[in-house]
Amino acid sequence: MYQLNFELPHREALDHSNFFVSPSNANAVTHIKRFSEENGTSCVLTGPAGAGKTHLVHMWARRTNGQILKARGLRTDDVPRLARGSIAVEDVPEISRDQPVLAALFHLFNQLQASGHNLLLTGRGTAFHWNLSLPDLQSRINAAQSISLGPPDDALLAAILAKLFLDRQLAPKPDVIPFLLTRMERSYEAAQKIVAKVDAAALSQQRTVTRGFVRQFFPSTNTEE
């Protein structure tokens, strides 16, 4: 029995209790906490998609009462208001060739330094490779503190899968995550994709998330016991 499958929104948990600390991200967590206690400084948080950058940004914002906005949403007219407190600007590489937005970010950078508030910037890859078309801004970013999130270790990847299932209100059987860990690509993005596939299939087929059910997403394992 199948049913129509609508793309329903899911709630992502972004508080401190939902962030799993492991050896692969412990250093980043420590640096974010330290940065939240400083004044008038800038910091760059980098890492691959799904690594937890947004989660850490929200943790930082709660500690500092800071604001969060996407880089593409920044406008020069908003800078004086934004510069009244600490702020995080996400996905900076996406504006690498957008001169008006880059100019607004450069202006915000200067005003925050002058007012003694903090600026947290995020993006994929290393900041040196963002290649922003405003050299003065790229230079300032290169000189900022840098925090990097690396690839997930086993414990972290298991926790990420568990959190992604929880965000979608799915309750996989205990042997599902160990099964996925031995077969999926070991990346944050792969974890997001496999959980999304399982969610869609479980909803349309009205199935419980068991090891046998998720086996369909790994055809080469279908003949295994």
Coordinates of all heavy atoms in Angstrom, one line a residue, residues 122-217:
T122 N 30.5 32.2 8.1 CA 30.6 30.8 7.8 C 30.6 30.5 6.3 O 30.2 31.4 5.5 CB 29.4 30.0 8.4 OG1 28.2 30.2 7.6 CG2 29.2 30.4 9.9
G123 N 31.2 29.4 6.0 CA 31.2 29.0 4.6 C 31.9 27.6 4.4 O 32.6 27.1 5.3
R124 N 31.7 27.0 3.2 CA 32.4 25.8 2.9 C 33.8 26.0 2.5 O 34.1 27.1 2.0 CB 31.6 25.0 1.8 CG 30.2 24.7 2.2 CD 29.6 23.8 1.1 NE 28.1 23.7 1.2 CZ 27.4 23.0 0.4 NH1 27.9 22.3 -0.6 NH2 26.0 22.9 0.6
G125 N 34.6 25.0 2.7 CA 36.0 25.2 2.2 C 36.8 26.1 3.1 O 36.2 26.7 4.0
T126 N 38.1 26.3 2.9 CA 38.9 27.2 3.6 C 38.6 28.7 3.2 O 38.4 28.9 2.0 CB 40.4 26.9 3.5 OG1 40.7 27.1 2.1 CG2 40.7 25.5 4.0
A127 N 38.7 29.6 4.1 CA 38.4 31.0 3.8 C 39.4 31.5 2.7 O 39.0 32.4 1.9 CB 38.5 31.8 5.1
F128 N 40.6 31.0 2.7 CA 41.6 31.5 1.7 C 41.1 31.2 0.3 O 41.5 31.8 -0.7 CB 42.9 30.9 2.0 CG 43.7 31.4 3.1 CD1 43.6 30.9 4.4 CD2 44.4 32.6 3.0 CE1 44.3 31.4 5.5 CE2 45.1 33.1 4.1 CZ 45.1 32.5 5.3
H129 N 40.3 30.2 0.1 CA 39.8 29.8 -1.2 C 38.4 30.3 -1.5 O 37.8 29.9 -2.5 CB 39.8 28.3 -1.3 CG 41.2 27.7 -1.2 ND1 41.4 26.5 -0.5 CD2 42.4 28.1 -1.6 CE1 42.7 26.2 -0.6 NE2 43.3 27.2 -1.3
W130 N 37.9 31.2 -0.7 CA 36.6 31.8 -1.0 C 36.7 32.7 -2.3 O 35.7 32.9 -2.9 CB 36.0 32.6 0.2 CG 35.5 31.7 1.2 CD1 35.5 30.3 1.2 CD2 35.0 32.1 2.5 NE1 35.0 29.8 2.4 CE2 34.7 30.9 3.2 CE3 34.8 33.3 3.2 CZ2 34.2 30.9 4.5 CZ3 34.3 33.4 4.4 CH2 34.0 32.2 5.1
N131 N 37.8 33.3 -2.5 CA 38.1 34.1 -3.7 C 37.0 35.2 -3.9 O 36.4 35.4 -4.9 CB 38.1 33.2 -5.0 CG 39.2 32.2 -4.9 OD1 40.3 32.6 -4.6 ND2 39.0 31.0 -5.4
L132 N 36.8 36.0 -2.8 CA 35.9 37.1 -2.9 C 36.4 38.2 -3.8 O 37.6 38.5 -3.8 CB 35.6 37.7 -1.5 CG 35.2 36.7 -0.4 CD1 34.9 37.4 0.9 CD2 34.0 35.9 -0.8
S133 N 35.5 38.7 -4.6 CA 36.0 39.7 -5.6 C 36.2 41.1 -5.0 O 36.4 42.0 -5.8 CB 35.0 39.7 -6.8 OG 33.7 40.1 -6.3
L134 N 36.1 41.2 -3.7 CA 36.5 42.5 -3.0 C 37.7 42.2 -2.2 O 37.7 41.6 -1.1 CB 35.3 42.9 -2.1 CG 35.5 44.3 -1.5 CD1 35.7 45.4 -2.5 CD2 34.3 44.6 -0.6
P135 N 38.9 42.5 -2.8 CA 40.2 42.1 -2.2 C 40.4 42.5 -0.7 O 40.9 41.8 0.1 CB 41.3 42.7 -3.1 CG 40.6 42.8 -4.4 CD 39.2 43.2 -4.1
D136 N 39.9 43.7 -0.4 CA 40.1 44.2 1.0 C 39.3 43.4 2.0 O 39.7 43.1 3.1 CB 39.6 45.7 1.1 CG 40.6 46.7 0.4 OD1 41.7 46.2 0.2 OD2 40.2 47.8 0.2
L137 N 38.1 42.9 1.5 CA 37.3 42.1 2.4 C 37.9 40.7 2.6 O 38.0 40.2 3.7 CB 35.9 41.9 1.8 CG 34.9 41.0 2.6 CD1 34.8 41.4 4.1 CD2 33.6 40.9 1.9
Q138 N 38.4 40.1 1.4 CA 39.1 38.8 1.5 C 40.3 38.9 2.4 O 40.6 38.0 3.2 CB 39.5 38.4 0.1 CG 40.2 37.0 0.0 CD 39.2 35.9 0.4 OE1 38.2 35.7 -0.3 NE2 39.6 35.1 1.5
S139 N 41.0 40.0 2.4 CA 42.2 40.2 3.2 C 41.8 40.2 4.7 O 42.5 39.6 5.5 CB 42.9 41.5 2.8 OG 44.0 41.7 3.7
R140 N 40.8 40.9 5.0 CA 40.3 40.9 6.4 C 39.9 39.6 6.9 O 40.2 39.2 8.0 CB 39.2 41.9 6.6 CG 39.6 43.4 6.5 CD 38.4 44.3 6.7 NE 38.8 45.7 6.7 CZ 39.2 46.4 7.8 NH1 39.2 45.7 9.0 NH2 39.6 47.6 7.8
I141 N 39.2 38.8 6.0 CA 38.7 37.5 6.4 C 39.9 36.6 6.6 O 40.0 35.7 7.5 CB 37.8 37.0 5.3 CG1 36.4 37.7 5.4 CG2 37.5 35.5 5.5 CD1 35.5 37.4 4.3
N142 N 40.9 36.7 5.7 CA 42.1 35.9 5.9 C 42.8 36.1 7.2 O 43.5 35.2 7.7 CB 43.1 36.1 4.7 CG 42.6 35.6 3.4 OD1 41.6 34.9 3.3 ND2 43.2 36.1 2.3
A143 N 42.7 37.3 7.7 CA 43.4 37.7 9.0 C 42.6 37.3 10.2 O 43.1 37.4 11.3 CB 43.7 39.2 8.9
A144 N 41.3 36.9 10.0 CA 40.5 36.6 11.2 C 40.8 35.3 11.8 O 41.5 34.5 11.2 CB 39.0 36.6 10.7
Q145 N 40.3 35.1 13.0 CA 40.4 33.8 13.6 C 39.8 32.7 12.7 O 38.8 33.0 12.0 CB 39.7 33.7 15.0 CG 40.3 34.7 16.0 CD 39.5 34.5 17.3 OE1 39.2 33.4 17.8 NE2 39.1 35.6 17.9
S146 N 40.2 31.5 12.7 CA 39.7 30.5 11.9 C 39.3 29.2 12.7 O 40.2 28.7 13.5 CB 40.6 30.1 10.7 OG 40.1 29.1 9.9
I147 N 38.1 28.7 12.5 CA 37.7 27.4 13.1 C 37.2 26.5 12.0 O 36.4 26.9 11.1 CB 36.5 27.7 14.1 CG1 36.9 28.7 15.2 CG2 36.1 26.4 14.7 CD1 35.8 29.1 16.1
S148 N 37.7 25.3 12.0 CA 37.4 24.4 10.9 C 36.8 23.1 11.5 O 37.2 22.5 12.5 CB 38.7 24.0 10.1 OG 38.4 23.1 9.2
L149 N 35.7 22.7 10.8 CA 35.1 21.4 11.1 C 35.5 20.4 10.1 O 35.3 20.6 8.9 CB 33.5 21.5 11.1 CG 32.9 22.3 12.3 CD1 31.5 22.8 11.9 CD2 32.9 21.4 13.5
G150 N 36.1 19.3 10.5 CA 36.6 18.3 9.6 C 35.6 17.1 9.3 O 34.4 17.2 9.7
P151 N 36.0 16.1 8.6 CA 35.1 14.9 8.3 C 34.7 14.3 9.6 O 35.4 14.3 10.6 CB 36.0 14.0 7.5 CG 37.1 14.9 7.0 CD 37.3 15.9 8.0
P152 N 33.5 13.6 9.7 CA 33.0 13.0 10.9 C 33.7 11.7 11.2 O 34.1 10.9 10.3 CB 31.5 12.8 10.6 CG 31.5 12.6 9.1 CD 32.6 13.5 8.5
D153 N 34.0 11.4 12.5 CA 34.4 10.1 12.9 C 33.2 9.2 13.1 O 32.0 9.7 12.9 CB 35.3 10.2 14.2 CG 34.6 10.9 15.3 OD1 33.3 10.9 15.4 OD2 35.2 11.6 16.1
D154 N 33.4 8.0 13.4 CA 32.3 7.0 13.6 C 31.2 7.5 14.6 O 30.0 7.4 14.3 CB 32.8 5.6 14.0 CG 33.5 4.9 12.8 OD1 33.5 5.4 11.7 OD2 34.0 3.8 13.1
A155 N 31.7 7.9 15.7 CA 30.8 8.3 16.8 C 29.9 9.5 16.3 O 28.7 9.5 16.6 CB 31.5 8.6 18.1
L156 N 30.6 10.4 15.7 CA 29.8 11.6 15.3 C 28.9 11.3 14.2 O 27.7 11.8 14.2 CB 30.8 12.7 14.8 CG 30.2 14.0 14.3 CD1 29.3 14.6 15.4 CD2 31.3 15.0 13.9
L157 N 29.3 10.5 13.2 CA 28.4 10.2 12.1 C 27.1 9.4 12.6 O 26.0 9.7 12.1 CB 29.1 9.3 11.1 CG 28.4 9.1 9.7 CD1 28.1 10.5 9.1 CD2 29.3 8.3 8.8
A158 N 27.3 8.5 13.6 CA 26.2 7.8 14.2 C 25.3 8.8 14.9 O 24.0 8.7 14.7 CB 26.7 6.8 15.2
A159 N 25.8 9.8 15.6 CA 25.0 10.8 16.3 C 24.3 11.7 15.3 O 23.1 12.1 15.5 CB 25.9 11.6 17.2
I160 N 24.9 12.0 14.2 CA 24.3 12.8 13.1 C 23.1 12.1 12.5 O 22.0 12.7 12.4 CB 25.3 13.2 12.0 CG1 26.3 14.2 12.6 CG2 24.6 13.7 10.8 CD1 27.5 14.5 11.7
L161 N 23.3 10.8 12.2 CA 22.2 10.0 11.7 C 21.0 10.0 12.7 O 19.8 10.1 12.3 CB 22.6 8.6 11.4 CG 23.5 8.4 10.2 CD1 24.2 7.1 10.1 CD2 22.7 8.7 8.9
A162 N 21.3 9.8 14.0 CA 20.3 9.7 15.0 C 19.5 11.0 15.1 O 18.3 11.1 15.2 CB 20.9 9.4 16.3
K163 N 20.3 12.1 15.0 CA 19.6 13.5 15.1 C 18.8 13.7 13.8 O 17.7 14.3 13.9 CB 20.7 14.6 15.2 CG 20.1 16.0 15.2 CD 21.2 17.0 15.3 CE 20.6 18.4 15.3 NZ 19.8 18.7 14.1
L164 N 19.3 13.4 12.7 CA 18.5 13.6 11.4 C 17.2 12.8 11.4 O 16.2 13.3 11.0 CB 19.4 13.2 10.2 CG 20.5 14.1 9.9 CD1 21.4 13.5 8.8 CD2 20.1 15.5 9.5
F165 N 17.3 11.6 11.9 CA 16.0 10.8 12.1 C 15.1 11.4 13.1 O 13.9 11.5 12.8 CB 16.4 9.3 12.5 CG 16.8 8.4 11.4 CD1 18.1 7.8 11.5 CD2 16.0 8.2 10.3 CE1 18.5 6.9 10.5 CE2 16.4 7.3 9.3 CZ 17.7 6.7 9.4
L166 N 15.6 11.9 14.2 CA 14.8 12.6 15.2 C 14.2 13.8 14.7 O 13.0 14.1 14.9 CB 15.7 12.9 16.4 CG 15.0 13.6 17.6 CD1 13.9 12.7 18.2 CD2 16.0 14.0 18.7
D167 N 14.9 14.6 13.9 CA 14.4 15.8 13.3 C 13.2 15.5 12.5 O 12.3 16.4 12.3 CB 15.4 16.5 12.5 CG 16.5 17.2 13.3 OD1 16.3 17.4 14.5 OD2 17.6 17.6 12.7
R168 N 13.2 14.4 11.8 CA 12.1 14.0 10.9 C 11.0 13.1 11.7 O 10.2 12.5 11.0 CB 12.6 13.3 9.7 CG 13.4 14.2 8.8 CD 14.1 13.4 7.7 NE 14.8 14.3 6.7 CZ 14.2 14.9 5.7 NH1 13.0 14.6 5.4 NH2 15.0 15.6 4.9
Q169 N 11.2 13.0 13.0 CA 10.3 12.2 13.8 C 10.2 10.8 13.4 O 9.1 10.1 13.4 CB 8.9 12.9 13.8 CG 8.8 14.3 14.3 CD 7.5 14.9 14.4 OE1 6.5 14.4 13.8 NE2 7.4 16.1 15.0
L170 N 11.4 10.2 13.0 CA 11.5 8.8 12.7 C 12.2 8.1 13.8 O 13.1 8.6 14.5 CB 12.3 8.6 11.4 CG 11.7 9.1 10.1 CD1 12.7 9.0 9.0 CD2 10.4 8.4 9.8
A171 N 11.7 6.9 14.0 CA 12.3 6.0 15.1 C 12.9 4.7 14.5 O 12.2 3.7 14.5 CB 11.3 5.7 16.2
P172 N 14.1 4.8 14.0 CA 14.7 3.5 13.4 C 14.9 2.5 14.5 O 15.2 2.8 15.6 CB 16.0 4.0 12.8 CG 16.3 5.2 13.6 CD 15.0 5.9 13.9
K173 N 14.9 1.2 14.0 CA 15.2 0.1 14.9 C 16.7 0.2 15.3 O 17.5 0.8 14.6 CB 14.9 -1.2 14.3 CG 13.4 -1.4 14.0 CD 12.6 -1.5 15.3 CE 11.2 -1.8 15.1 NZ 10.4 -1.8 16.3
P174 N 17.1 -0.3 16.5 CA 18.5 -0.1 17.0 C 19.6 -0.6 16.0 O 20.7 0.0 16.1 CB 18.5 -1.0 18.2 CG 17.1 -1.0 18.7 CD 16.3 -1.0 17.5
D175 N 19.3 -1.5 15.1 CA 20.4 -2.0 14.3 C 20.5 -1.2 12.9 O 21.3 -1.5 12.1 CB 20.2 -3.5 14.0 CG 18.8 -3.8 13.3 OD1 18.0 -2.9 13.3 OD2 18.7 -5.0 12.9
V176 N 19.6 -0.2 12.7 CA 19.6 0.5 11.5 C 20.8 1.4 11.3 O 21.5 1.4 10.3 CB 18.3 1.3 11.3 CG1 18.4 2.3 10.2 CG2 17.1 0.4 11.1
I177 N 21.1 2.2 12.3 CA 22.3 3.1 12.2 C 23.6 2.3 12.1 O 24.4 2.7 11.2 CB 22.3 4.1 13.4 CG1 21.1 5.1 13.2 CG2 23.6 4.8 13.4 CD1 21.0 6.1 14.3
P178 N 23.9 1.3 12.9 CA 25.1 0.5 12.6 C 25.2 -0.1 11.2 O 26.2 -0.1 10.6 CB 25.0 -0.6 13.6 CG 24.2 0.0 14.8 CD 23.2 0.8 14.1
F179 N 24.0 -0.5 10.6 CA 23.9 -1.0 9.3 C 24.3 0.1 8.3 O 25.1 -0.1 7.4 CB 22.5 -1.5 9.0 CG 22.3 -2.0 7.6 CD1 22.7 -3.3 7.2 CD2 21.8 -1.2 6.6 CE1 22.5 -3.7 5.9 CE2 21.6 -1.6 5.3 CZ 22.0 -2.9 4.9
L180 N 23.8 1.3 8.5 CA 24.1 2.4 7.6 C 25.5 2.8 7.6 O 26.1 3.1 6.6 CB 23.2 3.6 7.9 CG 21.7 3.5 7.7 CD1 20.9 4.7 8.2 CD2 21.4 3.2 6.2
L181 N 26.1 2.8 8.8 CA 27.5 3.2 9.0 C 28.5 2.3 8.2 O 29.5 2.8 7.7 CB 27.9 3.2 10.5 CG 27.3 4.3 11.3 CD1 27.7 4.0 12.8 CD2 27.8 5.7 10.9
T182 N 28.1 1.1 8.0 CA 29.0 0.2 7.3 C 28.8 0.2 5.8 O 29.6 -0.4 5.1 CB 28.8 -1.3 7.8 OG1 27.5 -1.7 7.5 CG2 29.1 -1.4 9.3
R183 N 27.8 0.9 5.3 CA 27.5 0.9 3.9 C 27.5 2.3 3.2 O 27.7 2.3 2.0 CB 26.2 0.1 3.6 CG 26.4 -1.3 3.8 CD 25.1 -2.0 4.2 NE 25.3 -3.5 4.3 CZ 25.7 -4.1 5.4 NH1 26.0 -3.4 6.4 NH2 25.9 -5.4 5.4
M184 N 27.2 3.3 3.9 CA 27.0 4.6 3.3 C 28.3 5.3 3.1 O 29.4 5.0 3.7 CB 26.1 5.5 4.2 CG 26.7 5.8 5.6 SD 25.6 6.8 6.6 CE 26.0 8.4 5.9
E185 N 28.3 6.3 2.2 CA 29.5 7.2 2.1 C 29.7 7.9 3.4 O 28.7 8.4 4.0 CB 29.3 8.2 1.0 CG 30.4 9.2 0.8 CD 30.0 10.3 -0.2 OE1 29.2 10.0 -1.1 OE2 30.4 11.5 0.1
R186 N 30.9 8.1 3.8 CA 31.1 8.7 5.2 C 31.3 10.2 5.1 O 32.4 10.7 5.1 CB 32.4 8.0 5.8 CG 32.3 6.5 5.8 CD 33.3 5.8 6.5 NE 33.3 6.1 8.0 CZ 32.4 5.6 8.8 NH1 31.4 4.8 8.3 NH2 32.4 5.9 10.1
S187 N 30.2 10.8 5.0 CA 30.2 12.3 4.9 C 28.9 12.8 5.5 O 27.9 12.1 5.6 CB 30.3 12.8 3.5 OG 29.1 12.6 2.7
Y188 N 28.9 14.1 5.9 CA 27.7 14.7 6.4 C 26.6 14.8 5.4 O 25.4 14.5 5.7 CB 28.0 16.2 6.9 CG 29.1 16.3 7.9 CD1 30.4 16.7 7.5 CD2 28.9 16.0 9.2 CE1 31.4 16.8 8.5 CE2 29.9 16.1 10.2 CZ 31.2 16.5 9.8 OH 32.2 16.6 10.7
E189 N 27.0 15.1 4.2 CA 26.0 15.3 3.1 C 25.3 13.9 2.8 O 24.1 13.9 2.5 CB 26.7 15.9 1.8 CG 25.7 16.4 0.8 CD 26.4 17.2 -0.2 OE1 27.6 17.2 -0.3 OE2 25.6 17.9 -1.0
A190 N 26.1 12.9 2.8 CA 25.6 11.5 2.5 C 24.6 11.2 3.6 O 23.5 10.5 3.3 CB 26.7 10.5 2.5
A191 N 24.9 11.5 4.9 CA 23.9 11.2 6.0 C 22.6 11.9 5.7 O 21.5 11.3 5.9 CB 24.5 11.7 7.3
Q192 N 22.7 13.2 5.3 CA 21.4 13.9 5.1 C 20.6 13.3 3.9 O 19.4 13.2 4.0 CB 21.8 15.4 4.7 CG 22.3 16.2 5.9 CD 22.8 17.6 5.4 OE1 23.3 17.8 4.3 NE2 22.6 18.5 6.3
K193 N 21.3 12.9 2.9 CA 20.6 12.3 1.7 C 20.0 11.0 2.1 O 18.8 10.7 1.7 CB 21.6 12.1 0.6 CG 22.0 13.5 -0.1 CD 23.0 13.2 -1.2 CE 23.4 14.5 -1.9 NZ 24.4 14.3 -3.0
I194 N 20.7 10.1 2.8 CA 20.1 8.8 3.0 C 18.9 8.9 4.0 O 17.9 8.2 3.8 CB 21.2 7.8 3.6 CG1 20.6 6.4 3.7 CG2 21.7 8.2 5.0 CD1 20.2 5.8 2.3
V195 N 19.0 9.8 5.0 CA 17.9 9.9 5.9 C 16.7 10.5 5.2 O 15.5 10.1 5.4 CB 18.2 10.8 7.1 CG1 17.0 11.1 8.0 CG2 19.3 10.1 8.0
A196 N 16.9 11.5 4.2 CA 15.8 12.0 3.5 C 15.1 10.9 2.6 O 13.9 10.9 2.5 CB 16.3 13.2 2.6
K197 N 16.0 10.1 2.0 CA 15.4 9.0 1.2 C 14.6 8.0 2.0 O 13.5 7.6 1.6 CB 16.6 8.2 0.5 CG 17.2 8.9 -0.7 CD 18.3 8.1 -1.3 CE 19.0 8.8 -2.4 NZ 20.1 8.0 -3.0
V198 N 15.1 7.6 3.2 CA 14.4 6.7 4.1 C 13.1 7.3 4.5 O 12.1 6.7 4.6 CB 15.3 6.4 5.3 CG1 14.5 5.6 6.3 CG2 16.5 5.5 4.9
D199 N 13.1 8.6 4.9 CA 11.9 9.3 5.3 C 10.8 9.3 4.2 O 9.7 8.9 4.5 CB 12.3 10.7 5.7 CG 11.1 11.5 6.3 OD1 10.2 10.9 6.8 OD2 11.1 12.8 6.2
A200 N 11.2 9.6 3.0 CA 10.3 9.7 1.9 C 9.7 8.3 1.6 O 8.5 8.1 1.4 CB 10.9 10.2 0.7
A201 N 10.5 7.3 1.6 CA 10.1 5.9 1.3 C 9.2 5.4 2.5 O 8.2 4.7 2.2 CB 11.3 5.0 1.1
A202 N 9.6 5.6 3.7 CA 8.8 5.1 4.9 C 7.4 5.8 4.9 O 6.4 5.1 5.2 CB 9.6 5.4 6.2
L203 N 7.4 7.0 4.5 CA 6.1 7.7 4.5 C 5.2 7.2 3.3 O 4.0 6.9 3.6 CB 6.3 9.2 4.3 CG 5.0 10.1 4.2 CD1 4.3 10.0 5.5 CD2 5.4 11.6 4.0
S204 N 5.8 7.0 2.2 CA 5.0 6.6 1.0 C 4.5 5.1 1.1 O 3.4 4.8 0.7 CB 5.7 6.8 -0.3 OG 6.9 6.0 -0.4
Q205 N 5.4 4.3 1.7 CA 5.1 2.9 1.9 C 4.5 2.5 3.2 O 4.1 1.4 3.4 CB 6.4 2.1 1.6 CG 7.0 2.3 0.3 CD 8.3 1.6 0.1 OE1 8.5 0.5 0.7 NE2 9.3 2.2 -0.6
Q206 N 4.4 3.5 4.1 CA 3.8 3.3 5.4 C 4.6 2.1 6.1 O 4.0 1.2 6.6 CB 2.3 3.0 5.3 CG 1.5 4.2 5.0 CD 1.4 5.2 6.1 OE1 0.7 5.1 7.1 NE2 2.2 6.3 6.0
R207 N 5.9 2.3 6.2 CA 6.7 1.2 6.7 C 7.5 1.7 8.0 O 7.8 2.9 8.1 CB 7.7 0.8 5.7 CG 7.1 0.0 4.5 CD 6.8 -1.4 4.8 NE 8.0 -2.1 5.3 CZ 8.8 -2.7 4.4 NH1 8.6 -2.6 3.1 NH2 9.9 -3.4 4.9
T208 N 7.8 0.8 8.8 CA 8.7 1.1 10.0 C 10.1 1.0 9.5 O 10.5 0.3 8.5 CB 8.5 0.0 11.1 OG1 7.1 0.0 11.5 CG2 9.4 0.3 12.2
V209 N 11.0 1.9 10.0 CA 12.4 1.9 9.6 C 13.2 0.8 10.3 O 13.7 1.0 11.4 CB 13.0 3.3 9.9 CG1 14.4 3.4 9.4 CG2 12.2 4.4 9.2
T210 N 13.3 -0.3 9.5 CA 14.1 -1.4 10.0 C 15.3 -1.6 9.1 O 15.4 -1.0 8.1 CB 13.2 -2.7 9.9 OG1 12.9 -3.0 8.6 CG2 11.9 -2.5 10.7
R211 N 16.2 -2.5 9.5 CA 17.3 -2.8 8.7 C 16.9 -3.4 7.4 O 17.5 -3.0 6.4 CB 18.2 -3.8 9.5 CG 19.4 -4.4 8.7 CD 20.3 -5.2 9.6 NE 21.2 -6.0 8.7 CZ 22.3 -6.5 9.2 NH1 22.6 -6.4 10.5 NH2 23.2 -7.2 8.4
G212 N 15.9 -4.3 7.4 CA 15.5 -4.8 6.1 C 14.9 -3.8 5.2 O 15.1 -3.8 4.0
F213 N 14.2 -2.8 5.8 CA 13.7 -1.7 5.0 C 14.7 -0.8 4.3 O 14.7 -0.5 3.1 CB 12.7 -0.9 5.8 CG 12.1 0.3 5.1 CD1 11.2 0.1 4.1 CD2 12.5 1.6 5.4 CE1 10.6 1.2 3.4 CE2 12.0 2.7 4.7 CZ 11.0 2.5 3.7
V214 N 15.8 -0.5 5.1 CA 16.8 0.4 4.5 C 17.8 -0.3 3.6 O 18.5 0.4 2.8 CB 17.6 1.2 5.6 CG1 16.7 2.0 6.5 CG2 18.4 0.2 6.5
R215 N 17.7 -1.6 3.6 CA 18.6 -2.4 2.7 C 18.3 -2.1 1.3 O 19.2 -2.2 0.4 CB 18.4 -3.9 3.0 CG 19.4 -4.8 2.3 CD 19.0 -6.2 2.4 NE 18.9 -6.7 3.8 CZ 20.0 -7.1 4.5 NH1 21.2 -7.2 4.0 NH2 19.8 -7.5 5.8
Q216 N 17.1 -1.6 0.9 CA 16.7 -1.4 -0.4 C 17.6 -0.2 -1.1 O 17.7 -0.1 -2.3 CB 15.3 -1.0 -0.5 CG 14.9 0.3 0.1 CD 13.4 0.6 0.1 OE1 12.9 0.9 -1.0 NE2 12.7 0.5 1.2
F217 N 18.2 0.6 -0.2 CA 18.9 1.7 -0.7 C 20.4 1.4 -1.0 O 21.2 2.2 -1.4 CB 18.9 2.9 0.3 CG 17.5 3.4 0.6 CD1 16.9 3.0 1.8 CD2 16.8 4.1 -0.3 CE1 15.6 3.4 2.1 CE2 15.5 4.5 -0.1 CZ 14.9 4.2 1.1

